[in-house]
Amino acid sequence: MEEEENKMAGKILVLIEHREGKVLDYNWGNLGFAVTLANKLNAEVSAVILSAVILAQDSASLVQSVKSKKINEIITVHDPKLEKYSPDTYAYVMQNLVSQGDIQVVVAGHTSIGWDFLPKLAVRLNVGLVSEVNGVEGEGENLIFKRQVYNGKLVEKVRVKSKPYLLTVERGGFPDIEEGGTPQVSNVSVDLSQIEVRTKIIEYVKSEKGGVDLTKSSIIVSGGRGLGKKENFQIVKDLAEALGGDYAASRPVVDNEWVERDRQVGSSGKTVKPKLYLACGISGAIQHLSGMKKSDVIVALNKDPDAPIFGVATYGVIGDLFEVIPALIEEAKKQGVH
Amino acid sequence: MNILVCVKAVPDMESHFTLQSDSLHIEDSNLVYKMNSFDECAVEEALKMKEKNGGEVVIVSLGDDKTVQVMRKAFAMGADRGVFLNNASFKDTDALTVAGLLHKAVSDFKPDLILTGIQAEDDIQAQVGPALAELFGVPHASVVVSVVLSEDAKKIKVKRELEGGTLEVVEMSLPCLLTIQTGINIPRYPSLPGIMKAKKKEIKEIKLSESDLGSSKVERVTLLEPQPEGKVEILQGDAKSVATQLISKLKERKVFN
Ligand SMILES: Cc1cc2nc3c(=O)[nH]c(=O)nc-3n(C[C@H](O)[C@H](O)[C@H](O)COP(=O)(O)OP(=O)(O)OC[C@H]3O[C@@H](n4cnc5c(N)ncnc54)[C@H](O)[C@@H]3O)c2cc1C
């Protein structure tokens, strides 16, 4: 890598997160972000794929799916110890790649992989890490990164005083990378013989199928912690029925066992895109929004005018759900909606 | 089995946040602080393990005066003692500095298990846990939703949550660090005797100077209110009038067809 002298000022390494042979879809947004950043830094974008087997240029599907993207390079590293994700191996390989070349930035998703190993790498390199970046401003040495704080009620802008920058990227925060590139594929060898993989992945347990398939619902009435207690959740179910839709919930509702887990909408639940999503007593945390913000019409019902849910809503009602929901049920029956 | 749990006092997220004139901090004199909800689940999980396997549950926290009541709550739930790193400007330190300070403060304690929440509700970074594992030199798993200890208490099998609801079953040896996700348990309410006992439990306070905080590599340049992505139409009126407007608008948009 070092002999590759060109006018570009270094590289941005983007970890391609994959599982069971498939590139995870949020990687395309991470690459999209990296290209924006590359323009600001005059740097190249290198996608990094770690795997157990040699990813021959044409056969391996992992490389195949990245090869058409508008980036400069694909770096592959292979070793039997890289068969599954582990923070020990991933941190070590990325540290090694950083030491081999002029690396300006290391990017991963704000995901169960990215947030899991990047803090480790940051400690080792003794550099700063910015989590869940959703915007970048400035040029060259004066980059400012944007992110949410206070459960999405405020935004902070930060500066990093060390290099390389380590960043995790908000899922869905950036447009996908464009097609039409011809990145060169280079295989880099990293010696992992001394590395012990201390966490052993035994299996993956998929969420159970069955029950309701919210991804097919055209009307969803969703309830959050604002309902207060299990018994109160009934009014959400009643409203769903009155509107001819299905009921769903935010994570705390499921955690507290007010409703079944297959009703959870959000980054660790279902991603839905109904014609109508009516959110009752849901604040609009980023993990919830990522599961529903592409719905056609979003109605937010919340007593807190600052709740971030209003930021994605089509219609907003600032008020007490215990007054508004019964009124909605009555009105739906009166006007006859289905 | 000795367990270290890292907790943080955070403001109630339903509060109205206003900015200080420096645009770097929130006005927090009149905010209600509570235990970060992820940490509350971490404390509960530690107590469940202690009940089964014995040992001590030690709470460590970096913060200002508001932190003491949160540590007392952990005591009232059943934790044994605490280490409190006190510095009013702790909010200006980046997560890796925080991990370094926590590690240094408890480096004489050799825990079998270290628990943190996945993230703090205010900063939403999810960095301190994995960084702390690296400093302790122990393996870790993040976003943990279930924990099973082996018979001989030497190994632990956890389920951690991946995107979209898939779970990853991971095994590792103790000592190790886990970052806890909500839903792993329903945290207990402190009992009255628990609250009485909590008052007598020891908090070792370490006052940190500005130089102890060192210089952070990630520095906030400004704090601001978000610009909404779209334009929301807020419906005005009492519940009945709002309901009439909303149903009509939704019918016009043909969402029910
Ligand atoms: C890794 C990870 C994954 C996650 N995955 C998900 C996920 O898939 N889905 C998900 O939802 N969350 C997820 N979360 C949790 C998320 O961060 C939030 O904690 C959660 O979405 C908050 O749920 P909520 O809005 O119901 O509760 P809160 O944030 O507590 O909001 C309750 C709201 O109700 C309002 N309210 C209270 N009383 C009333 C009333 N009487 N009338 C009207 N409004 C009222 C309040 O103003 C408040 O805005 C995840 C978190 C992490 C760290």
Side-chain angles (χ1 to χ4, degrees), chain B residues 15-184:
Chain B
S15 320
H16 174 65
F17 296 113
T18 51
L19 301 178
Q20 288 185 18
S21 55
D22 63 4
S23 287
L24 287 172
H25 303 97
I26 52 164
E27 199 59 72
D28 69 353
S29 48
N30 50 4
L31 292 180
V32 177
Y33 275 69
K34 52 150 211 150
M35 195 188 305
N36 182 37
S37 54
F38 300 97
D39 304 348
E40 214 174 316
C41 292
V43 171
E44 175 64 34
E45 205 54 30
L47 294 173
K48 275 167 54 186
M49 300 198 91
K50 178 191 152 175
E51 281 156 10
K52 250 203 205 145
N53 307 292
E56 198 187 23
V57 173
V58 178
I59 304 295
V60 59
S61 185
L62 165 68
D64 56 19
D65 295 341
K66 301 191 173 73
T67 302
V68 176
Q69 43 141 350
V70 163
M71 295 185 83
R72 294 263 173 235
K73 173 167 184 191
F75 294 166
M77 288 169 76
D80 298 290
R81 61 184 175 93
V83 179
F84 168 36
L85 305 179
N86 187 350
N87 186 297
S89 356
F90 78 100
K91 285 184 185 128
D92 298 329
T93 52
D94 64 10
L96 298 178
T97 308
V98 172
L101 293 167
L102 294 174
H103 176 245
K104 201 170 144 209
V106 294
S107 54
D108 57 333
F109 181 59
K110 296 267 174 293
D112 302 297
L113 189 62
I114 306 157
L115 302 182
T116 70
I118 304 177
Q119 61 180 26
E121 290 168 68
D122 52 359
D123 289 337
I124 339 183
Q125 302 188 93
Q127 293 186 21
V128 168
L132 197 57
E134 175 68 13
L135 293 168
F136 269 101
V138 299
H140 78 272
S142 59
V143 222
V144 170
V145 292
S146 109
V147 178
V148 181
L149 194 66
S150 67
E151 292 272 302
D152 62 1
K154 291 210 166 93
K155 277 191 170 172
I156 204 161
K157 202 195 253 182
V158 305
K159 286 195 181 124
R160 73 181 202 106
E161 202 172 67
L162 309 178
E163 287 63 40
T166 302
L167 299 174
E168 185 179 273
V169 183
V170 186
E171 194 176 60
M172 70 195 109
S173 299
L174 298 182
C176 65
L177 181 144
L178 309 175
T179 82
I180 301 294
Q181 169 67 305
T182 57
I184 188 171

Side-chain angles (χ1 to χ4, degrees), chain A residues 17 19 24 26 85 87-88 110-113 115-117 119-120 122-124 126-132 144 147-162 168 171 198-207 218-219 225-226 243 251 255-257 261 264 266-269 275-276 278 286-287 289 293 296-297 299 303-304 306 310-318 323-324 327-328 330-332 334-338, chain B residues 11-19 26 33-34 37 91 94 96 99 118-119 121-128 130-135 137-143 145 157 159-173 179 181-187 215-236 239-240 242-251 253-257:
Chain A
E17 301 178 20
R19 190 170 298 127
L24 299 165
Y26 49 76
Y85 166 73
D88 289 330
H110 192 66
T111 62
S112 56
I113 291 179
W115 71 52
D116 196 67
F117 88 95
K120 217 173 161 63
V123 170
R124 289 190 189 172
N126 192 24
V127 297
L129 164 61
V130 187
S131 297
E132 210 159 21
I144 301 285
R147 56 187 306 278
Q148 291 195 351
V149 287
Y150 294 97
N151 203 24
K153 284 188 157 182
L154 295 172
V155 172
E156 74 167 347
K157 295 186 181 177
V158 300
R159 171 170 65 201
V160 191
K161 300 191 291 185
S162 54
T168 66
R171 278 178 69 193
R198 295 174 297 175
T199 50
K200 194 169 135 219
I201 297 179
I202 296 173
E203 59 173 334
Y204 298 110
V205 183
K206 302 264 152 63
S207 59
S218 66
I219 295 173
R225 182 146 49 194
L243 298 180
R251 177 166 188 124
D255 286 344
N256 285 307
E257 298 170 1
R261 191 156 289 280
Q264 183 185 317
S267 62
S268 54
K275 284 206 275 187
L276 169 64
L278 207 163
I286 188 166
Q287 295 92 356
L289 298 186
K293 71 176 176 191
D296 292 351
V297 176
V299 179
K303 65 174 184 188
D304 176 4
D306 300 336
F310 290 114
V312 299
T314 325
Y315 302 111
V317 178
I318 299 168
E323 289 173 19
V324 179
L328 280 171
E330 205 185 298
E331 193 62 30
K334 204 167 100 194
Q335 292 197 30
V337 298
H338 66 106
Chain B
D12 181 342
M13 291 303 146
E14 286 183 28
S15 320
H16 174 65
F17 296 113
T18 51
L19 301 178
I26 52 164
Y33 275 69
K34 52 150 211 150
S37 54
K91 285 184 185 128
D94 64 10
L96 298 178
I118 304 177
Q119 61 180 26
E121 290 168 68
D122 52 359
D123 289 337
I124 339 183
Q125 302 188 93
Q127 293 186 21
V128 168
L132 197 57
E134 175 68 13
L135 293 168
V138 299
H140 78 272
S142 59
V143 222
V145 292
K157 202 195 253 182
K159 286 195 181 124
R160 73 181 202 106
E161 202 172 67
L162 309 178
E163 287 63 40
T166 302
L167 299 174
E168 185 179 273
V169 183
V170 186
E171 194 176 60
M172 70 195 109
S173 299
T179 82
Q181 169 67 305
T182 57
I184 188 171
N185 54 42
I186 299 182
S215 85
S216 285
K217 302 205 167 64
V218 179
E219 194 177 70
R220 180 178 286 170
V221 290
T222 186
L223 198 59
L224 57 154
E225 297 193 347
Q227 302 296 318
E229 284 175 37
K231 264 205 275 13
V232 56
E233 180 182 341
I234 301 288
L235 307 179
Q236 311 282 353
K240 191 169 169 359
V242 161
T244 313
Q245 294 171 58
L246 183 60
I247 299 293
S248 310
K249 284 179 191 291
L250 294 176
K251 281 181 91 171
R253 283 194 175 243
K254 304 197 186 321
V255 301
F256 301 114
N257 299 12

Side-chain angles (χ1 to χ4, degrees), chain A residues 224 226-227 235-236 280-282 301 303 319-326:
Chain A
L227 269 304
I235 57 171
V236 171
C280 313
I282 293 178
L301 165 53
K303 65 174 184 188
D320 186 345
L321 62 88
F322 296 109
E323 289 173 19
V324 179
I325 292 182

